[in-house]
Amino acid sequence: MPERRTVALVTLGCARNEVDSEELAGRLEADGWHLVEDASDADVAVVNTCGFVDAAKKDSVDALLEANDLKGHGRTQAVVAVGCMAERYGKDLAEALPEADGVLGFDDYADISDRLQTILNGGIHASHTPRDRRKLLPISPAERQSVSDVALPGHGAASDLPEGLAPASGPRAPLRRRLDGAPVASVKLASGCDRRCSFCAIPSFRGSFISRRPSDVLNEARWLGEQGVKEIMLVSENNTSYGKDLGDIRLLESLLPEIAEVDGVERVRVSYLQPAEMRPGLIDVLTSTPKVMPYFDLSFQHSAPDVLRAMRRFGDTDRFLELLDTIRSKAPQAGVRSNFIVGFPGESEADLAELERFLNGARLDAIGVFGYSDEDGTEAATYDNKVDEDVVAERLARVSRLAEELVSQRAEERVGETVQVLVESVDSVEGVYGRGAHQAPETDGQVLLTSGEGLSVGRMVEAKVVGTEGVDLVAEPLQGSLAWSEEAGR
């Protein structure tokens, strides 16, 4: 019997990429590939790249080069690039990085097994020519659901697999294979984005916005619940637009309670919300539905009106603070995070001071700060009034220091609160860590439990916050909560 082909998936970037990797894993396993964790144990190392900002691109290139170094020293015979950077640059990336044996775009995902086998056999699959994926779907959102020939990574259902290759978990299983045993997993609500922020290139290579059908989202959530997942995180480029192409912009409000009722799932979290698209009904559902976390990942980006207009965005400091007041009036312990760009073309000292005014009043739990840099193909890259690079660096350092102080202060405000902690790591030396309702995986802080006797990954623990370590919390399990967590973990 011939030795089974092996493949390793190395994933960089956001949670959306993680979902895409698990779809690729599902396709490959269904076609007979054996998935391994370590690239050195694989015939083919597939690197799912990120093409968002320069630092992420560099990490992707480094990962490809690191995988290439394995060739000739172990089992690895080929290294293949997929993901956003591969889609965005295609043959240009292949020419610039000959160490990659293949550069595959999203259109190759449906045939990923054949593509990898061709490369493994020494053949050549021509790298794709990048194109503006916004032009692949109709301009009218209502007409997009009828289009079936556009690749939408992370949207796969079991019905997409050839007959006889459906996942073993049964007819409800999605076209997906989990790559780790973490108690949290992301589910895609949609792909693409219709917004035209002047600094962002994502729509050009991810395409226009298109929602997944609620039944597919629910089936995937049920399957993940069967796999032992305790927390579902809903991801897309813009979750507040979910349902607009299905005829119901309020579809998320009705879908969230249904996901929350899925057996085994203890938490549902929604990521990436547009402040300008927040609706009173959505705020109500996010702050009042059992098992739906009162968590708001709001994409503010800035708060000075002139900068926001140049970014082709909407809002200002006072409107943003009013939104946060509305949220906290309904859920005082709600978690809020956001990202900001400093040094955007035309940003003045007065604009920066306005951003600092917002940050000081916002009481955010987590803050990401980025210095502006030109991105290929974006409108902002053509602007004339660029801020000097040294000034951008100074503003980045200044706002980053402020952000660090403010999130530490916000953590201190939570001392005395009772939090529900999902245990994510248990180590005899490092201790027991988890996350509260106000903390998303990887992007936000953690909770260190002062006692972890009898706990295991995936358990829920009620604890009282007794201290802080920067943005992280230190919490003491409440009497009886360990016994409760044993019951919740069954």
Side-chain angles (χ1 to χ4, degrees):
M1 185 174 181
E3 190 173 7
R4 201 173 179 189
R5 302 166 297 178
T6 58
V7 60
L9 284 145
V10 180
T11 306
L12 295 97
C14 64
R16 301 185 292 275
N17 253 17
E18 293 171 5
V19 176
D20 294 351
S21 284
E22 293 197 349
E23 181 188 307
L24 290 174
R27 291 182 182 278
L28 289 166
E29 186 173 66
D31 202 34
W33 291 77
H34 177 58
L35 295 158
V36 296
E37 292 186 15
D38 194 329
S40 64
D41 297 328
D43 296 317
V44 184
V46 177
V47 180
N48 193 347
T49 60
C50 178
F52 182 41
V53 293
D54 286 343
K57 296 175 202 172
K58 181 180 183 304
D59 288 344
S60 296
V61 170
D62 289 345
L64 287 163
L65 293 175
E66 184 177 339
N68 181 70
D69 288 342
L70 298 172
K71 291 192 292 188
H73 301 285
R75 179 163 183 156
T76 308
Q77 300 175 52
V79 176
V80 175
V82 299
C84 291
M85 189 176 179
E87 173 64 35
R88 184 176 182 183
Y89 295 106
K91 61 181 183 180
D92 290 340
L93 177 63
E95 292 171 1
L97 197 70
E99 291 86 354
D101 299 286
V103 175
L104 306 181
F106 296 150
D107 293 333
D108 292 307
Y109 282 23
D111 300 308
I112 187 67
S113 178
D114 289 342
R115 299 288 187 266
L116 296 191
Q117 188 61 61
T118 296
I119 293 168
L120 190 58
N121 291 342
I124 296 175
H125 177 71
S127 301
H128 77 106
T129 300
R131 52 182 173 167
D132 188 340
R133 296 190 73 86
R134 290 172 293 191
K135 299 177 180 179
L136 301 183
L137 291 168
I139 294 176
S140 169
E143 298 176 6
R144 294 174 188 168
Q145 292 288 330
S146 62
V147 178
S148 60
D149 60 348
V150 175
L152 299 169
H155 284 228
S159 58
D160 293 334
L161 282 172
E163 186 176 353
L165 294 180
S169 300
R172 291 191 314 187
L175 180 56
R176 179 171 181 175
R177 194 268 202 189
R178 295 213 70 205
L179 293 174
D180 61 40
V184 59
S186 296
V187 172
K188 270 196 179 181
L189 273 181
S191 287
C193 185
D194 286 342
R195 300 182 72 88
R196 293 297 178 261
C197 301
S198 62
F199 57 84
C200 184
I202 289 176
S204 66
F205 56 85
R206 277 290 184 179
S208 297
F209 185 90
I210 185 165
S211 304
R212 294 181 71 196
R213 294 197 170 274
S215 57
D216 289 339
V217 175
L218 273 171
N219 284 341
E220 189 161 342
R222 292 178 182 129
W223 178 76
L224 289 167
E226 292 170 356
Q227 306 297 306
V229 169
K230 300 299 181 186
E231 178 175 322
I232 298 289
M233 187 165 76
L234 300 174
V235 300
S236 77
E237 280 74 18
N238 179 10
N239 284 328
T240 34
S241 283
Y242 179 70
K244 72 174 186 178
D245 51 323
L246 294 170
D248 185 1
I249 191 59
R250 295 177 177 82
L251 192 55
L252 184 56
E253 286 95 304
S254 58
L255 178 60
L256 282 170
E258 293 187 70
I259 300 174
E261 293 177 359
V262 170
D263 288 345
V265 173
E266 296 293 329
R267 284 182 175 173
V268 181
R269 187 182 305 276
V270 183
S271 69
Y272 210 83
L273 303 166
Q274 285 289 344
E277 297 180 28
M278 290 300 295
R279 306 175 291 275
L282 179 56
I283 294 174
D284 287 343
V285 169
L286 288 170
T287 55
S288 65
T289 308
K291 295 188 178 181
V292 174
M293 297 300 96
Y295 176 80
F296 294 80
D297 176 13
L298 292 163
S299 175
F300 290 119
Q301 302 298 346
H302 213 284
S303 72
D306 288 345
V307 175
L308 287 169
R309 279 194 291 271
M311 289 179 168
R312 296 201 178 277
R313 297 176 66 85
F314 307 94
D316 57 47
T317 295
D318 293 332
R319 275 189 277 183
F320 290 165
L321 290 177
E322 183 179 348
L323 172 61
L324 295 177
D325 286 344
T326 299
I327 290 168
R328 290 179 175 132
S329 70
K330 298 175 181 294
Q333 294 184 346
V336 187
R337 82 169 321 275
S338 192
N339 294 324
F340 300 88
I341 299 172
V342 297
F344 191 80
E347 182 191 60
S348 66
E349 280 293 333
D351 293 327
L352 193 68
E354 186 68 2
L355 173 58
E356 290 172 327
R357 181 171 81 89
F358 171 69
L359 292 174
N360 277 296
R363 295 170 55 230
L364 302 177
D365 292 277
I367 300 172
V369 186
F370 301 88
Y372 173 82
S373 61
D374 287 340
E375 276 294 311
D376 298 336
T378 62
E379 180 183 351
T382 68
Y383 289 174
D384 294 328
N385 51 348
K386 300 287 172 58
V387 178
D388 186 83
E389 289 184 6
D390 291 340
V391 176
V392 174
E394 185 277 326
R395 292 179 181 179
L396 175 60
R398 168 177 154 186
V399 177
S400 295
R401 285 193 300 269
L402 174 62
E404 187 174 349
E405 294 172 6
L406 291 173
V407 295
S408 295
Q409 290 174 15
R410 179 65 183 126
E412 289 170 3
E413 291 179 15
R414 292 191 179 274
V415 173
E417 288 185 2
T418 298
V419 291
Q420 308 294 333
V421 181
L422 174 63
V423 177
E424 291 193 310
S425 66
V426 177
D427 187 277
S428 59
V429 177
E430 299 293 331
V432 178
Y433 281 89
R435 289 180 295 104
H438 68 286
Q439 298 166 316
E442 298 185 12
T443 58
D444 304 337
Q446 294 178 295
V447 179
L448 170 64
L449 294 172
T450 59
S451 173
E453 184 177 355
L455 286 179
S456 60
V457 172
R459 296 291 169 87
M460 297 289 293
V461 181
E462 190 174 45
K464 182 178 181 179
V465 180
V466 296
T468 65
E469 295 179 356
V471 71
D472 296 332
L473 305 180
V474 179
E476 180 180 315
L478 296 177
Q479 187 174 5
S481 67
L482 295 184
W484 171 73
S485 74
E486 287 285 340
E487 185 68 27
R490 289 175 188 161

